[in-house]
Amino acid sequence: MNSEIRIDERYVSFANIDCFENACLVIDRLLYVTGQAEHVNLYWKKIIPTIPQAYYDRDPKADEKEALLYLVCSNVFYLEELFENEEDEEGLNALKRAELECC
């Protein structure tokens, strides 16, 4: 019996998942919520400038190191708190999807 796993039999966990777009949807909501002055705090003032240019260009190829996805995944707790406080269901749904599929 041959127990070797062929390349074409491997499980590919991220097949057909657009993690860049998932991260973009989360950042869309972040910018929308923090676009209202009363929802901006020092933390978000420091995070927003770190959003990679690839997000603004909507170009996943320009984000080779996946900085956008890293930004979202490393701030899940804070994003969830922000969206919950603002009762932003769209933001919560986008975050949940990005977290489950990509983080």
Side-chain angles (χ1 to χ4, degrees), residues 21-77:
E21 185 58 27
N22 284 350
C24 283
L25 295 175
V26 173
I27 298 299
D28 288 345
R29 297 311 302 167
L30 167 66
L31 294 176
Y32 173 77
V33 171
T34 58
Q36 303 162 37
E38 66 270 14
H39 304 297
V40 177
N41 61 30
L42 184 58
Y43 185 77
W44 296 118
K45 284 181 182 180
K46 293 207 179 259
I47 293 295
I48 290 171
T50 68
I51 296 171
Q53 185 60 42
Y55 163 77
Y56 297 103
D57 297 339
R58 280 300 218 263
D59 182 8
K61 292 178 183 174
D63 193 20
E64 292 177 11
K65 294 184 179 180
E66 298 182 336
L68 183 65
L69 183 60
Y70 180 78
L71 179 69
V72 169
C73 293
S74 63
N75 286 284
V76 166
F77 175 79

Side-chain angles (χ1 to χ4, degrees), residues 83-96:
F83 296 148
E84 282 179 353
N85 288 343
E86 302 314 313
E87 299 177 357
D88 185 348
E89 287 299 318
E90 193 174 336
L92 286 169
N93 291 335
L95 181 61
K96 181 178 180 181

Side-chain angles (χ1 to χ4, degrees), residues 14-26:
F14 295 104
N16 302 317
I17 297 174
D18 189 347
C19 289
F20 181 81
E21 185 58 27
N22 284 350
C24 283
L25 295 175
V26 173

